[in-house]
Amino acid sequence: MIFDTHAHYDDKAFDEDRDAVLSSLKGNGVGVAVNIGADMASSRRTVELAARYPFLYGAVGVHPDASAELDEAGMEELSCLADREGIVAIGEIGLDYYWDTAPRELQKYWFERQLALALEKDLPVVIHSREAAEETLNIMRRTYQASGGKLRGVIHCFSGSAELAREYTGMGFYIGVGGVVTFKNGRKLKEVVEKMPLERLVIETDCPYLAPVPFRGKRNDSTLLTFVIEEIARLRGLSAEETERISERNARALYGLPEKGKEWQS
């Protein structure tokens, strides 16, 4: 079954048909998805969705664009939310110097605090990095080394070079690959997929965003990962079935999920 490691089904784009979309996933070959928090409100919604749907897990965290909303009370709440059933990661967290909606020093401060929370909870992290590759890597490397190699997780929507991917996979991190790998201008990501260790690759939608070709610009959902799988399979000379199997195995390892998790309740 397809395992979508990064989705935003709490997004308003699904307000009119959320249950219909989610209820259709299993029949379309999608076995599991992880809904990702981006601020306090979406982290709360993620907890609710993970409790309601057996095939949905969740991550809680505050995206760098929303980092100005964080305070000590927010960190305490995130700590409580991280303990809820079905929550398997802290994220998405990181740095975003493209939009710069929050001061960079503030982004870095709350990024490091949330990395520390993940280590405290023994959970993986879901990392967002845009136009901040060097500083993100420096913080990640420093935290990884200080933790004795305990920091783990995935670099979501990876947009860096093959060399940067090698830095992260060398520390045991996973690389999230989504619809961009199908784009004509996605040559850099295609090169990463061609060269990276297959055991470090996971697939994601980031839905409702980044739908793959031929649906680019439309609302994305987990069923469209078949197009991502087919492109990865082409790049690596594998069958789609083998690519799907490898990505599911990697996703379960990333999030520490057994072969038969709570999704088998459904």
Side-chain angles (χ1 to χ4, degrees), residues 10-49:
D10 65 291
D11 190 273
K12 64 182 181 180
F14 294 103
D15 281 354
E16 293 185 4
D17 61 351
R18 181 174 293 106
D19 186 67
V21 172
L22 290 171
S23 298
S24 72
L25 296 184
K26 190 172 183 180
N28 285 288
V30 180
V32 185
V34 179
N35 203 76
I36 309 292
D39 53 25
M40 295 305 300
S42 64
S43 292
R44 297 181 196 113
R45 293 193 299 267
T46 291
V47 169
E48 293 171 2
L49 286 173

Tab-separated table of all heavy atoms in Angstrom, residues 10-49:
chain	number	residue	atom	x	y	z
A	10	ASP	N	-6.045	18.671	7.090
A	10	ASP	CA	-6.803	19.642	7.874
A	10	ASP	C	-6.940	20.976	7.140
A	10	ASP	O	-7.673	21.852	7.592
A	10	ASP	CB	-6.127	19.874	9.224
A	10	ASP	CG	-4.758	20.526	9.063
A	10	ASP	OD1	-3.849	19.848	8.543
A	10	ASP	OD2	-4.602	21.710	9.432
A	11	ASP	N	-6.246	21.137	6.023
A	11	ASP	CA	-6.254	22.397	5.278
A	11	ASP	C	-7.666	22.732	4.793
A	11	ASP	O	-8.474	21.855	4.490
A	11	ASP	CB	-5.305	22.279	4.075
A	11	ASP	CG	-5.062	23.606	3.398
A	11	ASP	OD1	-5.867	23.975	2.511
A	11	ASP	OD2	-4.070	24.275	3.743
A	12	LYS	N	-7.938	24.028	4.691
A	12	LYS	CA	-9.272	24.475	4.265
A	12	LYS	C	-9.639	23.996	2.873
A	12	LYS	O	-10.836	23.952	2.526
A	12	LYS	CB	-9.353	25.998	4.335
A	12	LYS	CG	-8.411	26.733	3.393
A	12	LYS	CD	-8.527	28.235	3.581
A	12	LYS	CE	-7.597	28.992	2.634
A	12	LYS	NZ	-7.690	30.470	2.803
A	13	ALA	N	-8.649	23.614	2.064
A	13	ALA	CA	-8.940	23.109	0.715
A	13	ALA	C	-9.778	21.840	0.755
A	13	ALA	O	-10.399	21.481	-0.249
A	13	ALA	CB	-7.638	22.845	-0.037
A	14	PHE	N	-9.801	21.164	1.911
A	14	PHE	CA	-10.579	19.931	2.047
A	14	PHE	C	-11.847	20.125	2.876
A	14	PHE	O	-12.523	19.137	3.198
A	14	PHE	CB	-9.713	18.837	2.683
A	14	PHE	CG	-8.559	18.391	1.835
A	14	PHE	CD1	-7.271	18.817	2.118
A	14	PHE	CD2	-8.753	17.560	0.739
A	14	PHE	CE1	-6.198	18.419	1.340
A	14	PHE	CE2	-7.693	17.157	-0.058
A	14	PHE	CZ	-6.413	17.588	0.245
A	15	ASP	N	-12.179	21.364	3.202
A	15	ASP	CA	-13.325	21.597	4.091
A	15	ASP	C	-14.642	21.053	3.550
A	15	ASP	O	-15.497	20.594	4.314
A	15	ASP	CB	-13.479	23.098	4.374
A	15	ASP	CG	-12.502	23.599	5.432
A	15	ASP	OD1	-11.784	22.769	6.025
A	15	ASP	OD2	-12.453	24.828	5.650
A	16	GLU	N	-14.830	21.095	2.229
A	16	GLU	CA	-16.116	20.691	1.664
A	16	GLU	C	-16.256	19.184	1.481
A	16	GLU	O	-17.388	18.675	1.416
A	16	GLU	CB	-16.349	21.402	0.325
A	16	GLU	CG	-16.523	22.912	0.471
A	16	GLU	CD	-16.873	23.578	-0.845
A	16	GLU	OE1	-17.061	22.852	-1.857
A	16	GLU	OE2	-16.957	24.820	-0.862
A	17	ASP	N	-15.134	18.462	1.397
A	17	ASP	CA	-15.245	17.022	1.110
A	17	ASP	C	-14.190	16.190	1.832
A	17	ASP	O	-13.817	15.118	1.367
A	17	ASP	CB	-15.158	16.779	-0.391
A	17	ASP	CG	-13.838	17.250	-1.005
A	17	ASP	OD1	-13.052	17.923	-0.306
A	17	ASP	OD2	-13.601	16.956	-2.198
A	18	ARG	N	-13.733	16.657	2.989
A	18	ARG	CA	-12.630	15.999	3.700
A	18	ARG	C	-12.926	14.523	3.956
A	18	ARG	O	-12.117	13.648	3.664
A	18	ARG	CB	-12.334	16.726	5.004
A	18	ARG	CG	-11.182	16.125	5.799
A	18	ARG	CD	-10.842	16.982	7.008
A	18	ARG	NE	-10.298	18.275	6.607
A	18	ARG	CZ	-10.950	19.430	6.673
A	18	ARG	NH1	-12.186	19.471	7.164
A	18	ARG	NH2	-10.377	20.552	6.266
A	19	ASP	N	-14.077	14.228	4.536
A	19	ASP	CA	-14.380	12.837	4.882
A	19	ASP	C	-14.478	11.968	3.636
A	19	ASP	O	-14.014	10.819	3.638
A	19	ASP	CB	-15.677	12.740	5.681
A	19	ASP	CG	-15.930	11.335	6.185
A	19	ASP	OD1	-15.162	10.863	7.052
A	19	ASP	OD2	-16.877	10.689	5.693
A	20	ALA	N	-15.054	12.497	2.574
A	20	ALA	CA	-15.174	11.720	1.329
A	20	ALA	C	-13.795	11.404	0.762
A	20	ALA	O	-13.534	10.274	0.327
A	20	ALA	CB	-16.002	12.498	0.306
A	21	VAL	N	-12.904	12.392	0.767
A	21	VAL	CA	-11.546	12.159	0.260
A	21	VAL	C	-10.825	11.131	1.109
A	21	VAL	O	-10.245	10.160	0.597
A	21	VAL	CB	-10.744	13.474	0.217
A	21	VAL	CG1	-9.278	13.204	-0.121
A	21	VAL	CG2	-11.339	14.434	-0.802
A	22	LEU	N	-10.852	11.315	2.428
A	22	LEU	CA	-10.138	10.397	3.312
A	22	LEU	C	-10.727	8.991	3.250
A	22	LEU	O	-9.988	7.998	3.253
A	22	LEU	CB	-10.166	10.925	4.746
A	22	LEU	CG	-9.314	12.168	4.986
A	22	LEU	CD1	-9.571	12.742	6.378
A	22	LEU	CD2	-7.832	11.857	4.814
A	23	SER	N	-12.028	8.890	3.163
A	23	SER	CA	-12.666	7.575	3.109
A	23	SER	C	-12.376	6.842	1.811
A	23	SER	O	-12.502	5.617	1.746
A	23	SER	CB	-14.185	7.724	3.287
A	23	SER	OG	-14.486	8.277	4.557
A	24	SER	N	-11.970	7.583	0.777
A	24	SER	CA	-11.694	6.962	-0.523
A	24	SER	C	-10.263	6.452	-0.646
A	24	SER	O	-9.933	5.725	-1.586
A	24	SER	CB	-11.952	7.968	-1.649
A	24	SER	OG	-10.937	8.967	-1.682
A	25	LEU	N	-9.382	6.811	0.287
A	25	LEU	CA	-7.956	6.513	0.126
A	25	LEU	C	-7.671	5.017	0.060
A	25	LEU	O	-6.956	4.549	-0.825
A	25	LEU	CB	-7.140	7.164	1.250
A	25	LEU	CG	-7.137	8.696	1.297
A	25	LEU	CD1	-6.198	9.175	2.397
A	25	LEU	CD2	-6.746	9.293	-0.046
A	26	LYS	N	-8.208	4.280	1.010
A	26	LYS	CA	-7.882	2.856	1.075
A	26	LYS	C	-8.287	2.128	-0.206
A	26	LYS	O	-7.552	1.286	-0.712
A	26	LYS	CB	-8.541	2.218	2.291
A	26	LYS	CG	-8.051	0.795	2.568
A	26	LYS	CD	-8.582	0.280	3.891
A	26	LYS	CE	-8.033	-1.112	4.190
A	26	LYS	NZ	-8.556	-1.631	5.493
A	27	GLY	N	-9.455	2.475	-0.746
A	27	GLY	CA	-9.919	1.857	-1.976
A	27	GLY	C	-9.085	2.211	-3.181
A	27	GLY	O	-9.179	1.554	-4.229
A	28	ASN	N	-8.253	3.246	-3.047
A	28	ASN	CA	-7.372	3.670	-4.131
A	28	ASN	C	-5.909	3.353	-3.850
A	28	ASN	O	-5.014	3.964	-4.434
A	28	ASN	CB	-7.548	5.168	-4.373
A	28	ASN	CG	-8.844	5.486	-5.088
A	28	ASN	OD1	-9.001	5.215	-6.275
A	28	ASN	ND2	-9.803	6.042	-4.359
A	29	GLY	N	-5.681	2.398	-2.962
A	29	GLY	CA	-4.331	1.888	-2.754
A	29	GLY	C	-3.489	2.627	-1.742
A	29	GLY	O	-2.306	2.333	-1.605
A	30	VAL	N	-4.086	3.587	-1.029
A	30	VAL	CA	-3.348	4.335	-0.010
A	30	VAL	C	-3.656	3.734	1.352
A	30	VAL	O	-4.797	3.779	1.817
A	30	VAL	CB	-3.713	5.829	-0.025
A	30	VAL	CG1	-2.923	6.584	1.043
A	30	VAL	CG2	-3.453	6.427	-1.403
A	31	GLY	N	-2.627	3.195	2.011
A	31	GLY	CA	-2.858	2.521	3.280
A	31	GLY	C	-2.710	3.416	4.481
A	31	GLY	O	-3.433	3.268	5.469
A	32	VAL	N	-1.767	4.366	4.424
A	32	VAL	CA	-1.449	5.204	5.578
A	32	VAL	C	-1.050	6.596	5.101
A	32	VAL	O	-0.420	6.738	4.042
A	32	VAL	CB	-0.267	4.618	6.398
A	32	VAL	CG1	-0.025	5.447	7.663
A	32	VAL	CG2	-0.505	3.163	6.771
A	33	ALA	N	-1.409	7.609	5.891
A	33	ALA	CA	-0.921	8.961	5.658
A	33	ALA	C	-0.608	9.593	7.009
A	33	ALA	O	-1.223	9.252	8.023
A	33	ALA	CB	-1.942	9.809	4.901
A	34	VAL	N	0.356	10.504	7.004
A	34	VAL	CA	0.705	11.255	8.215
A	34	VAL	C	0.335	12.705	7.973
A	34	VAL	O	0.834	13.339	7.037
A	34	VAL	CB	2.198	11.128	8.556
A	34	VAL	CG1	2.522	11.947	9.806
A	34	VAL	CG2	2.570	9.664	8.790
A	35	ASN	N	-0.583	13.214	8.807
A	35	ASN	CA	-0.992	14.614	8.703
A	35	ASN	C	-0.034	15.464	9.532
A	35	ASN	O	0.298	15.117	10.661
A	35	ASN	CB	-2.422	14.798	9.203
A	35	ASN	CG	-3.074	16.026	8.619
A	35	ASN	OD1	-3.477	16.020	7.450
A	35	ASN	ND2	-3.178	17.094	9.394
A	36	ILE	N	0.396	16.568	8.950
A	36	ILE	CA	1.478	17.362	9.544
A	36	ILE	C	0.977	18.709	10.033
A	36	ILE	O	0.352	19.458	9.275
A	36	ILE	CB	2.612	17.582	8.517
A	36	ILE	CG1	3.051	16.254	7.873
A	36	ILE	CG2	3.783	18.300	9.168
A	36	ILE	CD1	3.750	15.290	8.793
A	37	GLY	N	1.277	19.042	11.283
A	37	GLY	CA	0.932	20.350	11.808
A	37	GLY	C	1.851	21.431	11.273
A	37	GLY	O	3.020	21.175	10.970
A	38	ALA	N	1.322	22.656	11.170
A	38	ALA	CA	2.124	23.786	10.696
A	38	ALA	C	2.058	24.975	11.646
A	38	ALA	O	2.867	25.901	11.547
A	38	ALA	CB	1.666	24.216	9.304
A	39	ASP	N	1.099	24.962	12.555
A	39	ASP	CA	0.996	25.973	13.602
A	39	ASP	C	0.221	25.343	14.746
A	39	ASP	O	-0.072	24.142	14.709
A	39	ASP	CB	0.328	27.261	13.082
A	39	ASP	CG	-1.024	27.008	12.413
A	39	ASP	OD1	-1.690	25.988	12.726
A	39	ASP	OD2	-1.437	27.845	11.590
A	40	MET	N	-0.107	26.103	15.771
A	40	MET	CA	-0.787	25.504	16.911
A	40	MET	C	-2.172	24.994	16.520
A	40	MET	O	-2.564	23.895	16.903
A	40	MET	CB	-0.887	26.516	18.054
A	40	MET	CG	0.449	26.931	18.649
A	40	MET	SD	1.458	25.530	19.228
A	40	MET	CE	0.381	24.811	20.465
A	41	ALA	N	-2.912	25.787	15.751
A	41	ALA	CA	-4.269	25.380	15.384
A	41	ALA	C	-4.261	24.109	14.543
A	41	ALA	O	-5.049	23.189	14.775
A	41	ALA	CB	-4.971	26.513	14.634
A	42	SER	N	-3.373	24.042	13.556
A	42	SER	CA	-3.345	22.847	12.703
A	42	SER	C	-2.795	21.645	13.456
A	42	SER	O	-3.161	20.503	13.162
A	42	SER	CB	-2.543	23.103	11.428
A	42	SER	OG	-1.190	23.367	11.722
A	43	SER	N	-1.947	21.870	14.444
A	43	SER	CA	-1.470	20.759	15.262
A	43	SER	C	-2.618	20.173	16.079
A	43	SER	O	-2.747	18.952	16.216
A	43	SER	CB	-0.337	21.223	16.182
A	43	SER	OG	0.819	21.545	15.436
A	44	ARG	N	-3.485	21.043	16.607
A	44	ARG	CA	-4.669	20.549	17.333
A	44	ARG	C	-5.587	19.775	16.392
A	44	ARG	O	-6.102	18.708	16.748
A	44	ARG	CB	-5.423	21.716	17.961
A	44	ARG	CG	-4.641	22.472	19.014
A	44	ARG	CD	-5.464	23.614	19.612
A	44	ARG	NE	-4.615	24.555	20.317
A	44	ARG	CZ	-4.396	25.820	19.930
A	44	ARG	NH1	-4.992	26.291	18.842
A	44	ARG	NH2	-3.597	26.601	20.632
A	45	ARG	N	-5.796	20.303	15.188
A	45	ARG	CA	-6.656	19.604	14.222
A	45	ARG	C	-6.053	18.259	13.831
A	45	ARG	O	-6.770	17.274	13.614
A	45	ARG	CB	-6.864	20.476	12.971
A	45	ARG	CG	-7.656	21.742	13.223
A	45	ARG	CD	-8.113	22.394	11.920
A	45	ARG	NE	-7.017	22.794	11.061
A	45	ARG	CZ	-6.464	24.013	11.067
A	45	ARG	NH1	-6.902	24.936	11.909
A	45	ARG	NH2	-5.485	24.313	10.227
A	46	THR	N	-4.740	18.218	13.735
A	46	THR	CA	-4.059	16.971	13.383
A	46	THR	C	-4.311	15.899	14.435
A	46	THR	O	-4.560	14.736	14.101
A	46	THR	CB	-2.550	17.229	13.226
A	46	THR	OG1	-2.340	18.037	12.063
A	46	THR	CG2	-1.765	15.931	13.090
A	47	VAL	N	-4.243	16.279	15.709
A	47	VAL	CA	-4.533	15.328	16.782
A	47	VAL	C	-5.957	14.786	16.638
A	47	VAL	O	-6.201	13.581	16.798
A	47	VAL	CB	-4.331	15.995	18.156
A	47	VAL	CG1	-4.885	15.125	19.282
A	47	VAL	CG2	-2.847	16.279	18.394
A	48	GLU	N	-6.893	15.660	16.321
A	48	GLU	CA	-8.286	15.242	16.152
A	48	GLU	C	-8.438	14.278	14.976
A	48	GLU	O	-9.140	13.262	15.077
A	48	GLU	CB	-9.175	16.470	15.943
A	48	GLU	CG	-9.265	17.370	17.166
A	48	GLU	CD	-9.961	18.686	16.862
A	48	GLU	OE1	-10.400	18.880	15.700
A	48	GLU	OE2	-10.072	19.527	17.788
A	49	LEU	N	-7.778	14.583	13.860
A	49	LEU	CA	-7.880	13.709	12.688
A	49	LEU	C	-7.250	12.344	12.957
A	49	LEU	O	-7.792	11.307	12.561
A	49	LEU	CB	-7.202	14.362	11.484
A	49	LEU	CG	-7.946	15.522	10.823
A	49	LEU	CD1	-7.071	16.174	9.754
A	49	LEU	CD2	-9.265	15.060	10.223
